[in-house]
Amino acid sequence: MLLGLLALAFIGLFMTVNLHGNVRYILLHRAQILATLLLVAFAGGVATLLFQTVTHNRILTPSVMGLEALFILLQTATLFFVNVQGLSVLGSGGKFAVETLLLGFSWLLFRWLLGGVGINLHRVLLVGLVCGALFRSLATLMQRLLSPGEFAILQSRLFATFTRASPAVLAAAAVIIVIVAALVWRMRHELDAIALGRHTALNLGIAYQPRVTVVLLLVALLVAASTALVEPLTFFGLLVANLAYSLIGSWRHCYLLPGVVLLGVVMLVGGQLILERLLHMAGTLSVVIEFVGGALFLYLLIKKAAV
């Protein structure tokens, strides 16, 4: 309840602070940014929570598995093969659909990595690292063959921003996220059993392998929608998921799922509000989140190694 009240307070302040001039235009502009922040808060946080549930590890995230490098490769390949004129013909809606479908196929990688009887953390990290290095190498090769103008366009599309998503893209992302949200909420009790481990879930009557496959597909769809919407956010999900574990203090997903979403809303909307109204856009929200999340990731690695 406290997280919900705090999230509503930040949303109200974001929509009403310094509201003067052309009120209708300002409200529409802020509503578009707010919708982007809310969708990313849900997709990023829930995707990481689900991924950590099936891997039984609070350090792994879908982004660590090389999805960010895959997104960079897709962006580079699109500009390399389609060029700027082709992108203008494709439009923002077509671009979003292509990126979501291609990134959605990453669930096959997850399914292969986690398809064995047990989860080998070292194998998961190693394969993710190798795939990420391969994707980055291919992207770098294509980037060297781009013209200076095309490379500048590519660079502007590789950094996360919450202020330029079009209404059509927002609507498409909202449809995907709402459908996934309904499916995840129906599976919340099964997720509790899956979090207890394979053997425990099987003893409780859960079809473990098919359910894990479905969860990984939902994770891939959420990551694809979020990444295609605002570009990569590597450590955002890790940050809000681990905060949810600490603040909520429960392993049940009926509490963790709303908690991780509300924490994401507080972090994104509150951070954007502070940057816009107090710091006058002196920084970038994605950079701050990635810095804090990266520091948390290093801390968790060091803590796990010490144990």
Side-chain angles (χ1 to χ4, degrees):
M1 290 181 64
L2 290 176
L3 284 175
L5 292 174
L6 187 59
L8 289 175
F10 277 130
I11 290 173
L13 289 173
F14 181 81
M15 292 296 295
T16 57
V17 169
N18 294 335
L19 189 61
H20 51 77
N22 191 338
V23 176
R24 183 174 181 274
Y25 171 79
I26 295 174
L27 285 177
L28 287 175
H29 178 67
R30 292 185 183 182
Q32 184 172 328
I33 297 176
L34 179 63
T36 304
L37 295 172
L38 296 178
L39 292 175
V40 173
F42 182 94
V46 172
T48 301
L49 178 63
L50 296 179
F51 191 73
Q52 292 179 351
T53 296
V54 298
T55 58
H56 312 293
N57 189 284
R58 296 186 178 184
I59 296 178
L60 288 180
T61 69
S63 297
V64 173
M65 296 305 306
L67 284 183
E68 180 182 5
L70 176 59
F71 175 80
I72 294 174
L73 175 61
L74 291 177
Q75 291 282 358
T76 306
T78 302
L79 196 60
F80 183 82
F81 291 108
V82 180
N83 66 46
V84 179
Q85 290 76 17
L87 286 178
S88 62
V89 173
L90 189 62
S92 58
K95 171 180 169 293
F96 174 83
V98 171
E99 291 172 355
T100 302
L101 289 174
L102 291 177
L103 284 170
F105 284 120
S106 61
W107 79 278
L108 294 174
L109 174 63
F110 291 154
R111 179 67 181 84
W112 172 67
L113 286 174
L114 307 176
V117 174
I119 302 299
N120 188 319
L121 176 61
H122 297 91
R123 179 166 68 96
V124 171
L125 289 176
L126 179 60
V127 175
L129 182 64
V130 171
C131 290
L134 174 62
F135 296 152
R136 279 188 288 269
S137 299
L138 292 174
T140 301
L141 176 62
M142 293 182 187
Q143 288 171 12
R144 293 182 180 274
L145 300 176
L146 294 175
S147 66
E150 291 174 334
F151 184 76
I153 294 173
L154 176 65
Q155 287 296 102
S156 68
R157 296 174 58 180
L158 295 181
F159 294 95
T161 176
F162 301 94
T163 59
R164 66 185 183 192
S166 66
V169 171
L170 283 173
V175 170
I176 294 174
I177 290 174
V178 167
I179 293 174
V180 173
L183 294 174
V184 169
W185 187 250
R186 290 187 62 183
M187 294 175 58
R188 63 190 184 279
H189 301 304
E190 294 177 305
L191 292 171
D192 293 340
I194 291 173
L196 297 175
R198 176 187 176 90
H199 297 295
T200 303
L202 289 173
N203 290 332
L204 292 174
I206 302 297
Y208 184 83
Q209 212 60 43
R211 281 304 177 190
V212 168
T213 301
V214 172
V215 171
L216 292 178
L217 174 58
L218 298 180
V219 168
L221 288 174
L222 288 175
V223 173
S226 174
T227 305
L229 191 62
V230 299
E231 325 306 355
L233 282 173
T234 306
F235 294 111
F236 168 71
L238 178 73
L239 185 58
V240 295
N242 281 274
L243 284 175
Y245 297 139
S246 301
L247 295 178
I248 296 175
S250 174
W251 56 271
R252 296 183 61 186
H253 285 75
C254 61
Y255 300 115
L256 287 175
L257 288 169
V260 78
V261 174
L262 292 174
L263 279 169
V265 172
V266 169
M267 188 175 299
L268 291 182
V269 179
Q272 189 70 20
L273 178 65
I274 292 172
L275 284 175
E276 287 186 4
R277 307 305 167 202
L278 297 182
L279 301 180
H280 306 289
M281 296 304 293
T284 305
L285 180 59
S286 60
V287 174
V288 176
I289 291 175
E290 296 299 88
F291 174 77
V292 177
L296 175 63
F297 179 70
L298 292 176
Y299 167 75
L300 293 174
L301 283 179
I302 295 172
K303 182 179 178 181
K304 189 175 183 66
V307 175

